[in-house]
Amino acid sequence: MTTRIELEAMKFYAYHGVMPQERKVGNNFVVNLILTAPLDKAVTSDELEDTINYAAVYAVVKEQMEKPSKLIEHAAGRILQALKEYFPQLTAIELKLAKLNPPFGGDVYSASIILSETYC
């Protein structure tokens, strides 16, 4: 059985951007995650310790989003690494980090980076 946990539209106000002004004023960001792990036991046990605690996942993402970066690629990479360290049972992570209303003079809803990694 393949088990995936999906956390959609985690919203953060953070200070990521190439321009110093972006790191002062901040912007809205959205993080989407799909986490793959062998969680077969949780399907039958109904016990929190047999799965990945969603609140703990959110806390890891929030901690990384609070650290300013010039690039959303860098912020996303930190999130990916922190999740893998905190939850070693993960076998794959797909992460999308979107910066809403990026300041480059066009009518664009968001600019996003998508990272995915599979672990052995």
Side-chain angles (χ1 to χ4, degrees):
M1 174 187 314
T2 300
T3 27
R4 297 187 306 186
I5 294 171
E6 186 171 3
L7 297 176
E8 294 183 273
M10 292 182 280
K11 297 175 184 174
F12 300 94
Y13 196 85
Y15 300 87
H16 308 305
V18 172
M19 305 302 294
Q21 168 189 340
E22 292 179 275
R23 291 188 307 279
K24 273 187 183 175
V25 175
N27 201 345
N28 291 299
F29 294 83
V30 177
V31 177
N32 291 290
L33 281 176
I34 298 175
L35 306 174
T36 305
L39 304 175
D40 301 10
K41 190 172 179 184
V43 172
T44 55
S45 76
D46 199 26
E47 297 297 333
L48 182 60
E49 61 266 6
D50 293 331
T51 190
I52 293 174
N53 185 320
Y54 313 152
V57 171
Y58 182 86
V60 169
V61 175
K62 182 177 186 281
E63 179 182 10
Q64 294 305 315
M65 287 299 292
E66 289 174 345
K67 299 175 185 176
S69 290
K70 292 179 186 172
L71 303 176
I72 60 173
E73 290 86 346
H74 184 257
R78 281 198 330 264
I79 294 168
L80 199 79
Q81 183 60 37
L83 287 169
K84 182 55 181 164
E85 287 175 14
Y86 198 87
F87 304 102
Q89 68 269 47
L90 290 171
T91 58
I93 301 172
E94 182 172 313
L95 179 147
K96 179 178 179 182
L97 172 55
K99 180 180 203 170
L100 304 185
N101 301 309
F104 54 75
D107 187 14
V108 178
Y109 176 74
S110 69
S112 303
I113 181 74
I114 299 171
L115 300 179
S116 60
E117 191 159 355
T118 302
Y119 308 99
C120 297

